């Protein structure tokens, strides 16, 4: 009888302690603004407007496609080669 009481009482106590743990995590958790905007529909419009303002002034007609170094290439050597090619073209 005592053993059964210990098992049943322990399960209720354990449930209460785990619930306290999860409640404390909810209070301490804060979302990244971009993630929060994905969850909150009202903030999506403001973030889209901010991104539009950033992109609005960009001149897309005069951009250059610049290839980055491959994983097996040394990035500093590749950058020097790119600068040398750029100086030759100019």
């Amino acid at each position: 009888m005592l053993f059964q009481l210990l098992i049943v009482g322990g399960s209720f106590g354990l449930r209460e302690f785990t619930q306290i743990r999860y409640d404390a995590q909810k209070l301490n958790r804060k979302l990244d603004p971009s993630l929060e905007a994905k969850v909150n529909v009202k903030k999506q419009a403001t973030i889209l407007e901010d991104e539009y303002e950033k992109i609005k002034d960009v001149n897309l007609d005069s951009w250059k496609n610049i290839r980055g170094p491959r994983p097996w290439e040394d990035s500093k050597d590749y950058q020097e080669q790119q600068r040398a090619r750029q100086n030759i073209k100019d």
Side-chain angles (χ1 to χ4, degrees):
M1 180 70 178
L2 182 61
F3 184 70
Q4 291 173 346
L5 181 64
L6 183 65
I7 297 295
V8 172
S11 68
F12 284 111
L14 196 59
R15 184 184 58 140
E16 291 298 319
F17 284 122
T18 56
Q19 187 63 42
I20 291 170
R21 182 177 116 195
Y22 290 127
D23 290 342
Q25 285 179 356
K26 283 182 184 178
L27 292 175
N28 293 333
R29 181 179 43 189
K30 296 193 178 189
L31 289 177
D32 184 36
S34 61
L35 292 175
E36 187 176 357
K38 290 179 181 177
V39 174
N40 190 353
V41 177
K42 291 178 183 176
K43 289 197 174 191
Q44 282 181 352
T46 59
I47 288 183
L48 287 175
E49 290 170 0
D50 294 340
E51 290 299 319
Y52 175 73
E53 292 297 324
K54 289 179 192 175
I55 295 174
K56 182 172 68 172
D57 299 329
V58 176
N59 184 6
L60 298 176
D61 295 329
S62 64
W63 70 279
K64 286 187 175 181
N65 189 14
I66 301 174
R67 181 181 79 82
R70 303 289 192 254
W72 57 86
E73 295 175 339
D74 185 24
S75 64
K76 290 184 181 181
D77 291 340
Y78 185 74
Q79 288 174 0
E80 290 173 6
Q81 289 174 0
Q82 289 288 64
R83 287 187 187 113
R85 287 184 196 149
Q86 187 68 26
N87 291 336
I88 291 171
K89 289 180 183 177
D90 291 340

